[in-house]
């Protein structure tokens, strides 16, 4: 598998993981809304889920969006 093929495959894996995590969090938010909890408890739990979602998804997105660093042929590694 070429280097470009590997990059494309890794990007697909990351994008798939992001989609799965988004769905998981969506379901969790729906379950919270279905519970008979007070507004304060729902607000705290929602905030925790939002922080968890951010921590889970952001690193995957950053890796997808990271610029590809390349060197000219024959250039020495730093």
């Amino acid at each position: 598998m070429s280097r470009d093929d590997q990059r494309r495959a890794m990007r697909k894996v990351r994008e798939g993981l992001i989609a799965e995590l988004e769905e998981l969090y969506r379901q969790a938010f729906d379950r919270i809304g279905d519970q008979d909890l007070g507004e304060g408890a729902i607000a705290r739990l929602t905030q925790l889920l939002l922080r968890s979602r951010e921590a889970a998804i952001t690193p995957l997105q950053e890796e997808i969006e990271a610029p590809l660093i390349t060197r000219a042929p024959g250039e020495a590694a730093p």
Side-chain angles (χ1 to χ4, degrees), residues 9-11 18 27-28 35 38 44 48-49 54 60-61 78:
M10 285 302 297
R11 183 182 179 104
I18 289 170
Q27 291 172 3
Q35 299 299 312
R44 284 190 299 277
L48 285 172
L49 273 175
E54 178 80 15
L60 293 167
Q61 287 175 328

Side-chain angles (χ1 to χ4, degrees), residues 8 23 26-27 31 35-36 43 55 58-59 64 66 69-70 76:
R8 280 192 289 275
E23 180 59 26
R26 195 169 307 123
Q27 291 172 3
R31 282 196 309 266
Q35 299 299 312
D36 188 23
T58 298
I64 288 171
I69 299 172
T70 59

Side-chain angles (χ1 to χ4, degrees), residues 11-78:
R11 183 182 179 104
K12 280 188 172 191
V13 168
R14 288 184 187 107
E15 289 171 344
L17 288 171
I18 289 170
E20 289 178 35
L21 287 167
E22 290 282 6
E23 180 59 26
L24 178 70
Y25 280 98
R26 195 169 307 123
Q27 291 172 3
F29 284 116
D30 289 344
R31 282 196 309 266
I32 290 172
D34 293 340
Q35 299 299 312
D36 188 23
L37 303 171
E39 286 183 27
I42 289 174
R44 284 190 299 277
L45 190 50
T46 299
Q47 185 63 34
L48 285 172
L49 273 175
L50 286 170
R51 288 175 37 206
S52 172
R53 180 189 170 279
E54 178 80 15
I57 294 175
T58 298
L60 293 167
Q61 287 175 328
E62 287 174 349
E63 189 65 27
I64 288 171
E65 296 167 1
L68 178 62
I69 299 172
T70 59
R71 292 188 300 266
E75 183 178 329

